[in-house]
Amino acid sequence: MASYDALLKRYRAAGQEHLLKFWAELSTDDQATLAAQLDALDIERVNRIYRKAVASEAEGASGEDTIEPLPQDASDSASSEKHDDWRRAGLEAIARNSVGGTRLGSSSPKGCYDIGLPSHKSLFQYQAERIGRLQTVAEEECGKPKGSVVLPWYVMTSGPTRVETEQFFKSHEYFGLDPKNVIFFEQGTLPCLTMEGKVLLDSPSHVAVAPDGNGGLYAATRAPLSSENKSHTVLSDLAARKISYVHAYCVDNCLVRVADPVFIGYSILKQAACAAKVVPKASPTESVGVVAIRDSKYSVVEYSEISKEQAERRDASGALVFRAGNIANHFYTTDFLNQIEKFEHDMAFHIARKKIAHIDLASGSLVNPTKPNGMKLEMFVFDVFPFTKNFAVLEVARQEEFSPLKNAPGTGADDPDTSRRDLLAQHKRFLEKAGASVQAGVEIELSPLVSYAGEGLKAVKGKTFTRSGIAEAVEELDALM
């Protein structure tokens, strides 16, 4: 570990020597804690990120960006006649064990949440069971031996939620998945800064830090998975498993199709290095970012950056021109993930001005501000889009693939009640599309182990369901007639 003198020299050169102001007053243990944190912190990188973020924000405020809708050949619809070809290509990639999935982190372990389904399954369990079912579908449809197809699951947590998340998986026996194929890794953090770029302390012996945004995914894939083996990272694990394609998604979406073979196959056949799933905007005024073209490059443009006239523009068919609603659902080749480090220094972090509790340097007392006094720096997962040469966009039906959990119960939008409603409504559509009838008021929950996306339900054709209930196997549906 670096000595006090070495730390002071380094931090003085970076203009951040105030972080050592209370050194002489600290206990030996607290000195060791602070020294370890400062030694590990790349303060030069923090300064670069701050300068780049401030310059980028100022440039964006100039309003000189040219924003255009996606060209027609850049996107396709999942309802295309090519759907089955995409699905087959995706299943074949999965059957070759060439596909992995990762969930984006959260400041709280939303994946543990029970949205009130009859089964009381958590979001994590639903996603795990979808993975299990998809492995089986790929084996059956591609003629592979039972148990031979593996979809590794890389679960990104924040620092504070990692222990709780891992314990949740262990207590539920990984929801039937092999533990060696569930890999936990941690989202990074960045120091909180004053408006002038000075690092804040939240105690005399500790730098105030905050998660570096869901775009921290990229740096996190290069970080050691444990302190015991510094060379073992997500990227090295993907390479060891010969994974060529990765699907990343937000954990809070109860309808997410983990490693969706249609999306995987579509992206492969389009030869995309990176791709995004989108849903059509519900209205011109919906507060959602859209995938569009900014200064001739693919980007996500926030709703506040589009004029009223742009938001209301429609094409010849009557559809909104800026309609590709971003849902944080992405495809990557592992080759692309390995290239991100080369251009990451060109990506500008976003500034979030916040009320940040901090130590007053004059008094040493903790200050809890009543108005924003500093900034947190975040990278977003879509910030790689402008650096992607081969990019593709797949538009999917919102009711089938997007129902996020963002708000508290009873809010009426994007809350546990709407998640529950949307998932059970989808299960009803699965049964009806397979030829069954479901009486009004009847709620049937289909385990993902029964059907991933509506397949495997031929046995219900011609049947009428009159009772609500849960089906963990197709045979159990007979009891609900």
Side-chain angles (χ1 to χ4, degrees):
M1 188 181 301
S3 67
Y4 167 79
D5 288 340
L7 287 172
L8 182 61
K9 180 180 179 181
R10 181 172 154 225
Y11 276 78
R12 180 172 287 157
Q16 304 279 7
E17 67 271 21
H18 62 280
L19 297 174
L20 291 153
K21 180 173 188 214
F22 302 105
W23 182 269
E25 305 168 22
L26 301 178
S27 68
T28 301
D29 285 347
D30 284 346
Q31 286 180 348
T33 297
L34 180 60
Q37 190 183 21
L38 295 183
D39 193 29
L41 180 61
D42 186 345
I43 191 62
E44 296 78 14
R45 175 176 178 260
V46 173
N47 284 345
R48 288 196 304 271
I49 287 173
Y50 167 76
R51 290 192 295 268
K52 178 80 173 177
V54 170
S56 177
E57 185 181 65
E59 184 179 335
S62 69
E64 295 177 359
D65 290 351
T66 301
I67 297 173
E68 299 173 313
L70 288 172
Q72 287 189 343
D73 61 355
S75 64
D76 293 274
S77 170
S79 61
S80 164
E81 68 277 1
K82 297 179 182 177
H83 174 280
D84 291 346
D85 293 337
W86 296 336
R87 181 178 180 275
R88 182 66 188 181
L91 281 177
E92 288 174 351
I94 291 167
R96 294 194 302 270
N97 291 336
S98 296
V99 178
T102 183
R103 62 158 290 251
L104 302 179
S106 168
S107 58
S108 59
K110 282 186 181 176
C112 306
Y113 199 86
D114 171 5
I115 59 174
L117 290 167
S119 67
H120 294 287
K121 291 179 181 179
S122 64
L123 294 174
F124 273 141
Q125 182 163 355
Y126 251 77
Q127 291 157 26
E129 291 184 356
R130 285 182 182 131
I131 290 171
R133 172 63 184 169
L134 188 53
Q135 290 174 161
T136 298
V137 171
E139 287 165 358
E140 292 176 350
E141 294 196 25
C142 298
K144 298 290 183 178
K146 186 176 182 180
S148 66
V149 171
V150 174
L151 263 168
W153 194 13
Y154 297 86
V155 181
M156 187 169 83
T157 71
S158 66
T161 64
R162 179 163 184 168
V163 171
E164 183 179 352
T165 302
E166 290 196 44
Q167 289 177 343
F168 188 75
F169 272 75
K170 289 175 183 175
S171 67
H172 290 85
E173 298 180 327
Y174 293 82
F175 311 105
L177 299 178
D178 188 332
K180 71 173 181 287
N181 297 321
V182 180
I183 302 94
F184 298 94
F185 67 112
E186 212 167 291
Q187 179 180 4
T189 60
L190 280 171
C192 301
L193 306 175
T194 68
M195 300 301 185
E196 296 73 36
K198 298 296 184 182
V199 176
L200 292 166
L201 292 166
D202 57 15
S203 83
S205 62
H206 192 267
V207 171
V209 297
D212 56 3
N214 58 22
L217 165 72
Y218 305 117
T221 61
R222 303 192 299 268
L225 291 172
S226 70
S227 56
E228 290 78 30
N229 183 355
K230 296 294 181 68
S231 65
H232 187 202
T233 66
V234 170
L235 290 180
S236 74
D237 196 84
L238 290 167
R241 295 173 184 266
K242 299 181 179 179
I243 301 294
S244 300
Y245 314 107
V246 173
H247 176 228
Y249 64 92
C250 277
V251 70
D252 63 5
N253 178 12
C254 69
L255 296 181
V256 67
R257 296 185 178 180
V258 185
D260 176 20
V262 177
F263 186 38
I264 298 292
Y266 165 76
S267 303
I268 292 172
L269 293 179
K270 292 283 284 190
Q271 297 183 315
C274 175
K277 263 191 187 183
V278 300
V279 297
K281 280 186 68 173
S283 70
T285 57
E286 183 182 10
S287 300
V288 62
V290 294
V291 181
I293 302 294
R294 186 202 299 271
D295 291 340
S296 303
K297 295 180 179 179
Y298 293 103
S299 182
V300 169
V301 179
E302 299 298 343
Y303 63 92
S304 57
E305 299 177 289
I306 297 177
S307 68
K308 182 175 183 291
E309 291 73 24
Q310 286 174 313
E312 293 178 348
R313 274 178 56 194
R314 295 182 182 272
D315 61 20
S317 69
L320 293 173
V321 171
F322 289 95
R323 67 174 178 272
N326 175 48
I327 59 173
N329 192 314
H330 303 141
F331 163 94
Y332 310 94
T333 64
T334 49
D335 285 344
F336 179 74
L337 290 176
N338 278 289
Q339 293 167 13
I340 291 175
E341 186 176 14
K342 296 176 183 177
F343 59 77
E344 203 166 46
H345 63 279
D346 292 325
M347 296 163 61
F349 279 71
H350 305 265
I351 297 173
R353 290 174 174 80
K354 302 286 187 179
K355 293 181 287 187
I356 303 171
H358 63 282
I359 296 297
D360 178 71
L361 293 175
S363 66
S365 301
L366 182 66
V367 177
N368 287 296
T370 57
K371 60 182 180 180
N373 64 300
M375 59 177 68
K376 298 178 180 181
L377 298 172
E378 299 177 316
M379 183 175 287
F380 299 145
V381 70
F382 53 72
D383 286 334
V384 299
F385 290 2
F387 300 88
T388 310
K389 292 181 180 178
N390 299 318
F391 187 76
V393 177
L394 184 65
E395 184 178 282
V396 298
R398 183 185 296 241
Q399 68 172 358
E400 299 297 345
E401 300 205 32
F402 187 56
S403 180
L405 175 62
K406 302 289 185 186
N407 301 316
T411 307
D414 297 343
D415 66 8
D417 294 331
T418 58
S419 293
R420 178 188 189 278
R421 176 201 70 199
D422 292 346
L423 193 55
L424 292 177
Q426 182 182 67
H427 293 177
K428 181 180 180 181
R429 289 194 299 274
F430 284 171
L431 292 168
E432 290 176 340
K433 188 173 181 180
S437 297
V438 181
Q439 285 191 351
V442 171
E443 291 184 334
I444 296 176
E445 181 184 351
L446 296 173
S447 165
L449 295 172
V450 173
S451 182
Y452 175 88
E455 80 296 327
L457 296 172
K458 292 180 180 178
V460 306
K461 186 175 182 179
K463 295 180 178 179
T464 299
F465 295 101
T466 61
R467 298 175 57 193
S468 298
I470 307 164
E472 296 290 345
V474 175
E475 295 76 19
E476 293 179 13
L477 285 166
D478 288 342
L480 304 178
M481 293 172 58

